[in-house]
Amino acid sequence: GGGDMWPLLQALSLAPPSALSRLPAATPRYLRAPGVRLSLDASALSAVGEVEDAAPAPDLRLVAPAKVNLFLRVVGKRPDGFHELASLFQTVSLFDDLDFWTSPREEGAPLASLEVTPDSLGAELIPTDESNLVVRALSLYAERVPSSPAIHCRLHKRIPAQGGLGGGSSDAATALHAANRLAGLPVSQETLIEWAGELGSDCGFFLSAGTAYCTGRGELVDPRRPLPPTACYLIKPAAGLSTPSVFKALGLEPGEAGPAGADPADLLSRFEAGDVYNPDLYVNDLEPPAFELMPELRQMCDDLRKFGFQAVMMSGSGTTCFAIGMPLEEVQETWVDELQAKYDVEVFEEMFCRRIADEPSLWYTEQPPGAVLTNIEEPERGLFPL
């Protein structure tokens, strides 16, 4: 019956048309990097239009989503100097593209290699050695799963760096998922989340279905049922703030409790009850110190509220802010221009996105065979199994 379908329809809801149009094209050209051998079967080659001079299609193409923190409570500062957090993380439909090619392991050849597309955002600043989390993720997987192949990754970056959007962590989690898939899924999701936690405190989150309650430094991931599809505009100022400077301005001493305020468990239960448009639930303890360091952020959030968005908040340690829902009808065509006339910002029109829960072989935006998207404007109402 219809009731049985609802979890599937919810889980399958995808990004808005604007985001879908940015998904990678199906037939890339690939310039082989020196020393990288690529395996390729005939079926993959036949999918490429110009077979004579076409380079091999990737063995796997995936997207890596950005994230926002829908609430972030600082519970306290631990004796070891780290801050104890309680936060609801949510993936959004701003994606990096990652292409993966496998080859047999060879003596003296790298098990993991990376290239960055020349038109990536900030391409010249992205390292391609072991300091890149993608290379570290692929190397870690290769060390722990000796039967896995060597992997070359090509990264196309769209998620701005230093904005609290988790792009680097997302790329690393996507690389771990890809390595596991290309090896035949020998490693459990739970183990992958643990390995991801070794790479960075946000990495494990992206191996959830897109919504998770994260505690500790953010590395303790409690995957939750995905939230309903919700419009989420990202506003990324050109100016950044370093995460340590924001925590320092918060001013907690080791062993000291965080700011008084709403119980994170209560905020979580209210979000899960579907109250995503309630501005009272959007609490970020790092906003006051960030606003102190950069007063124009507070002014910008106030301006966004005047445009009529249901909830407005800074994400994580900033400086990216997000606006939930839709602006007032009379400013729909003008608010971005007005905002950009006043502040040096990029604006991304996105939605909450998710993976299909309980399908470890599927990644963000991927659907099981037989699911047909019939109504792109209302994805949650437009999916019917064949």
Side-chain angles (χ1 to χ4, degrees):
D4 303 335
M5 283 296 299
W6 180 241
L8 175 67
L9 300 185
Q10 282 286 296
L12 289 179
S13 66
L14 290 176
S18 63
L20 289 176
S21 68
R22 295 196 308 270
L23 293 184
T27 54
R29 289 176 178 274
Y30 173 65
L31 299 173
R32 182 181 301 198
V36 178
R37 291 185 63 255
L38 303 171
S39 60
L40 180 70
D41 63 23
S43 63
L45 191 59
S46 65
V48 179
E50 303 156 20
V51 174
E52 316 75 54
D53 63 344
D59 296 307
L60 187 59
R61 313 202 71 174
L62 297 175
V63 298
K67 64 89 183 154
V68 291
N69 303 71
L70 299 182
F71 65 77
L72 193 158
R73 298 300 328 272
V74 179
V75 179
K77 189 169 185 177
R78 309 192 309 205
D80 65 7
F82 282 110
H83 289 77
E84 190 77 26
L85 309 175
S87 183
L88 182 59
F89 282 48
Q90 174 62 51
T91 49
V92 291
S93 59
L94 176 60
F95 301 116
D96 288 343
D97 300 328
L98 290 90
D99 294 344
F100 300 92
W101 288 263
T102 59
S103 58
R105 292 187 177 214
E106 282 186 8
E107 194 67 44
L111 292 173
S113 55
L114 174 70
E115 66 174 291
V116 176
T117 60
D119 55 344
S120 281
L121 189 64
E124 64 288 348
L125 301 174
I126 302 171
T128 55
D129 59 9
E130 283 282 337
S131 64
N132 189 298
L133 279 178
V134 170
V135 178
R136 283 171 45 200
L138 294 174
S139 300
L140 180 144
Y141 192 92
E143 283 160 24
R144 296 184 187 178
V145 185
S147 60
S148 65
I151 295 180
H152 178 73
C153 174
R154 179 176 60 195
L155 169 65
H156 179 67
K157 197 100 190 102
R158 287 196 190 88
I159 301 171
Q162 308 297 312
L165 293 170
S169 298
S170 184
D171 295 340
T174 303
L176 273 183
H177 171 83
N180 198 38
R181 233 161 98 174
L182 292 165
L185 298 171
V187 179
S188 73
Q189 286 291 101
E190 294 69 31
T191 303
L192 279 184
I193 287 177
E194 280 175 32
W195 292 0
E198 297 174 38
L199 295 165
S201 51
D202 289 352
C203 287
F205 156 67
F206 291 96
L207 291 154
S208 71
T211 305
Y213 181 54
C214 299
T215 52
R217 289 177 295 124
E219 83 283 9
L220 303 174
V221 179
D222 175 12
R224 312 299 293 191
R225 192 162 169 267
L227 294 174
T230 305
C232 178
Y233 292 83
L234 305 177
I235 298 91
K236 165 71 173 71
L241 283 172
S242 82
T243 299
S245 71
V246 176
F247 277 106
K248 190 177 175 190
L250 184 64
L252 296 184
E253 295 297 325
E256 189 182 346
D263 177 358
D266 179 49
L267 293 173
L268 177 65
S269 65
R270 291 174 69 187
F271 266 108
E272 295 197 310
D275 206 3
V276 293
Y277 295 107
N278 182 344
D280 297 341
L281 303 188
Y282 291 84
V283 180
N284 182 355
D285 288 335
L286 297 180
E287 260 191 355
F291 288 175
E292 203 177 294
L293 294 168
M294 197 182 284
E296 61 268 32
L297 274 182
R298 182 196 306 273
Q299 182 63 51
M300 185 179 83
C301 286
D302 288 345
D303 287 347
L304 285 164
R305 288 186 189 94
K306 287 175 195 157
F307 291 136
F309 288 103
Q310 284 84 340
V312 174
M313 194 172 81
M314 184 182 81
S315 181
S317 60
T319 51
T320 299
C321 298
F322 62 91
I324 296 293
M326 299 301 287
L328 297 167
E329 203 165 331
E330 59 265 30
V331 298
Q332 267 180 19
E333 302 300 318
T334 58
W335 73 271
V336 173
D337 289 341
E338 279 186 53
L339 196 73
Q340 290 179 328
K342 194 167 172 185
Y343 305 99
D344 185 4
V345 292
E346 285 181 277
V347 177
F348 302 90
E349 177 187 349
E350 306 301 341
M351 282 186 77
F352 292 177
C353 69
R354 79 275 302 280
R355 288 172 72 188
I356 296 169
D358 309 320
E359 279 286 352
S361 64
L362 293 176
W363 197 239
Y364 294 90
T365 77
E366 295 185 314
Q367 301 174 53
V372 180
L373 193 60
T374 59
N375 182 346
I376 196 74
E377 293 303 326
E378 299 177 88
E380 67 275 25
R381 293 180 55 186
L383 281 162
F384 301 97
L386 290 174

